[in-house]
Amino acid sequence: MSAKGLLDRYGVSLRGLARRNRLRSLGPRAGLDFASNDYLGLAGSEGTAAAVATALANGTTVGATGSRLLRGNAPEHAALEAKAAGFFGAEAALFFGGGYIANLAVLTTLPRKGDLVVLDALIHASAHEGARAGHAHVVTVPHNDADAVDGAIARWRAGGGTGHAWIVAESLYSMDGDRAPLNELARVADRHEAFLFIDEAHATGVYGPDGRGLAHRYEGRENVVVLHGCGKALGASGALITAPGILCDYLVNRCRPFVYATAPSPLMAVAVAAALDIMTHEPERRQRLQDMVALASGKAQALGLKASGSQIMPIIVGDNRGAMVLAGRLQARGFDVRAIRPPTVPEGTARLRISLTLNVEKPDLLALLDALSEEWPR
Ligand SMILES: Cc1ncc(COP(=O)(O)O)c(C=O)c1O
């Protein structure tokens, strides 16, 4: 077979994506930041950079050199995990190289054969991936519907399910910016002796006392596992799983993405630890972001747009091409706004995902919303 023959099917697939206005390509960063998840402007902060520079000067290595179970277990990892457990109010914490891998890790390891995993319909792709690759039975329920979660578990039990149920939700949804009904979900979990796994990727650092997240009230419970993203508001990369100590011990022993992987860079552990200190010492960052959210919500409502009430503002356009064209027009005016299309979001809900961060000023935000109303009159 010729090389062309070997590669043909990929070209066919890409042309199919292009026909449906779903083709993606990598583009440069340009324009005012209304696209990143660097909500608190920490990715380039002096505090984090100084902590990393000091650690480097004092001998912290760039590479971890191996798995955490071998020589890769650096003191910086353990120091971060101890700090994070205290910060979030959990018994223990475990540091992973990213949120995607952490979701995959938890969901392929903790729910066991005979268990049930109940996924919110809008949960992140990595949770779907982990649930699918894991050993438990998986069901998806309508978005933010605690009664549907309750019903799914009850039906599974009535049908002979004997294991434990795992309820999986994001505390703040990445593409809609809306919050999960955590109180109701926790009640359902308690009623069914189920576990609650909460992905705080977009809430860590932004909400709760000291930025401990929307799930801070539930940390430390024996049936609660939380994923704290370190690559978004914390401005670094990685993810911290906070959980009862026995579950972290179990992950260390049984979680293949943890065991069979080179540990994250010790320098990244230092950066995340520094970001946690900034959470405590610079509450004004959170306040400034909330001021931006309030300003955006007021202005959006005045323009006839729906506000999510969080730093994630979806502008639902509907069709893929329309969303791309609108994003392109705003980009041409100097605003880095990205269109999000299926399968990242449900079919027919292509959108602009406007992200509010401290990397822009309030006048920039007002200018963006004015430009949006000119380019997309309602
Ligand atoms: C809700 C949610 N969970 C997990 C992830 C993955 O995190 P990371 O980017 O650190 O791999 C993301 C990031 O896109 C996310 O939005």
Side-chain angles (χ1 to χ4, degrees), residues 28 121 246 320:
I246 191 166
N320 299 346

Side-chain angles (χ1 to χ4, degrees), residues 37-45 47-49 80 84 87-88 95 200-207 210-213 227-240 268-280 285-286:
N37 300 316
D38 185 22
Y39 304 123
L40 299 175
L42 281 184
S45 79
T48 310
L80 168 63
F87 179 84
F88 291 111
F95 186 45
E200 291 254 57
H202 295 272
T204 305
V206 177
Y207 298 97
D210 290 338
R212 279 156 46 204
L227 184 159
H228 290 287
C230 306
K232 302 184 193 315
L234 298 190
S237 75
L240 285 154
M268 202 43 71
V270 170
V272 174
L276 294 183
D277 286 338
I278 294 173
M279 293 299 109
T280 311
R285 286 182 187 265
R286 271 188 301 286

Side-chain angles (χ1 to χ4, degrees), residues 43 53 129 302:
E129 211 65 30

Side-chain angles (χ1 to χ4, degrees), residues 98-100 103 124 126 170 174 199 201-202 232 238:
Y100 191 103
N103 261 329
H124 192 258
S126 52
E170 288 177 42
S174 61
D199 182 340
H202 295 272
K232 302 184 193 315

Side-chain angles (χ1 to χ4, degrees), residues 139-316:
V139 294
T140 301
V141 294
H143 179 53
N144 272 352
D145 187 342
D147 289 339
V149 175
D150 192 56
I153 300 174
R155 273 194 302 282
W156 169 73
R157 277 269 180 255
T162 53
H164 289 288
W166 287 79
I167 301 168
V168 186
E170 288 177 42
S171 58
L172 188 83
Y173 280 84
S174 61
M175 293 298 149
D176 291 83
D178 60 334
R179 296 176 182 209
L182 289 183
N183 286 340
E184 286 89 331
L185 293 177
R187 269 200 293 276
V188 173
D190 290 346
R191 190 156 55 242
H192 291 282
E193 290 194 358
F195 287 95
L196 179 57
F197 178 34
I198 307 166
D199 182 340
E200 291 254 57
H202 295 272
T204 305
V206 177
Y207 298 97
D210 290 338
R212 279 156 46 204
L214 291 167
H216 65 92
R217 281 192 190 83
Y218 309 102
E219 297 262 14
R221 292 193 184 187
E222 71 166 5
N223 65 341
V224 171
V225 177
V226 180
L227 184 159
H228 290 287
C230 306
K232 302 184 193 315
L234 298 190
S237 75
L240 285 154
I241 295 297
T242 51
I246 191 166
L247 293 186
C248 287
D249 290 346
Y250 189 81
L251 288 169
V252 166
N253 280 272
R254 286 297 180 91
C255 173
R256 295 170 69 86
F258 182 86
V259 174
Y260 297 106
T262 300
S265 167
L267 285 179
M268 202 43 71
V270 170
V272 174
L276 294 183
D277 286 338
I278 294 173
M279 293 299 109
T280 311
H281 298 123
E282 300 183 22
E284 62 277 9
R285 286 182 187 265
R286 271 188 301 286
Q287 188 51 55
R288 276 170 53 210
L289 182 62
Q290 290 317 322
D291 291 348
M292 299 268 279
V293 171
L295 182 69
S297 301
K299 177 91 179 168
Q301 269 155 12
L303 293 172
L305 299 165
K306 200 166 154 257
S308 69
S310 77
Q311 78 279 17
I312 299 167
M313 265 184 83
I315 306 290
I316 311 287

Side-chain angles (χ1 to χ4, degrees), residues 342-354:
T344 308
V345 293
E347 200 67 54
T349 71
R351 66 197 65 186
L352 304 186
R353 178 185 184 271
I354 297 177

